Amino acid sequence: MTSSPMASEWTSADSARAQQIWDEYLRSHDVSQQQGQAVGIDPATGHVWFGRTALDIRKQMQAAGDAVPLFFLRVGQDHYLRKGGRR
């Protein structure tokens, strides 16, 4: 198991680091085939997980014996999920 911040200890610095990892990942990888998929980023290790949903990624992590908090986005978007409806 990797050492990553616990959910209650997650900071804005963790989010910034995860975003930096994702930006670097995008510079060196073609993710056009993963458009709309969920991506989970571990700010401590830099590991990037892909799946249909965040739950799918969690299942992958459990199978690998990893259970750390991740920063989630949707490929092609700057967020994972927006709260609230359209007006």
Side-chain angles (χ1 to χ4, degrees), residues 66-85:
D66 205 358
V68 296
L70 298 179
F71 182 82
F72 288 99
L73 294 170
R74 288 255 177 225
V75 177
Q77 300 178 13
D78 64 352
H79 60 278
Y80 177 75
L81 180 66
R82 292 265 190 226
K83 187 174 180 178

Side-chain angles (χ1 to χ4, degrees), residues 2 6 9 19 21 26 45 54-55 58 60 63-65 69 72-74:
T2 59
M6 297 305 291
E9 298 171 3
Q19 186 65 58
I21 291 166
L26 289 175
T45 66
L55 182 58
R58 284 285 174 213
Q60 290 176 46
F72 288 99
L73 294 170
R74 288 255 177 225

Side-chain angles (χ1 to χ4, degrees), residues 31-64:
V31 296
S32 59
Q33 296 300 313
Q34 285 98 355
Q35 286 293 318
Q37 285 189 0
V39 60
I41 305 137
D42 181 345
T45 66
H47 191 101
V48 176
W49 300 81
F50 289 94
R52 195 173 53 83
T53 65
L55 182 58
D56 289 341
I57 292 171
R58 284 285 174 213
K59 288 177 183 177
Q60 290 176 46
M61 292 177 70
Q62 286 177 331

Side-chain angles (χ1 to χ4, degrees), residues 12-43:
S12 59
D14 295 318
S15 295
R17 175 69 182 134
Q19 186 65 58
Q20 178 185 14
I21 291 166
W22 180 239
D23 292 343
E24 291 169 9
Y25 189 92
L26 289 175
R27 284 193 284 278
S28 58
H29 295 82
D30 177 12
V31 296
S32 59
Q33 296 300 313
Q34 285 98 355
Q35 286 293 318
Q37 285 189 0
V39 60
I41 305 137
D42 181 345

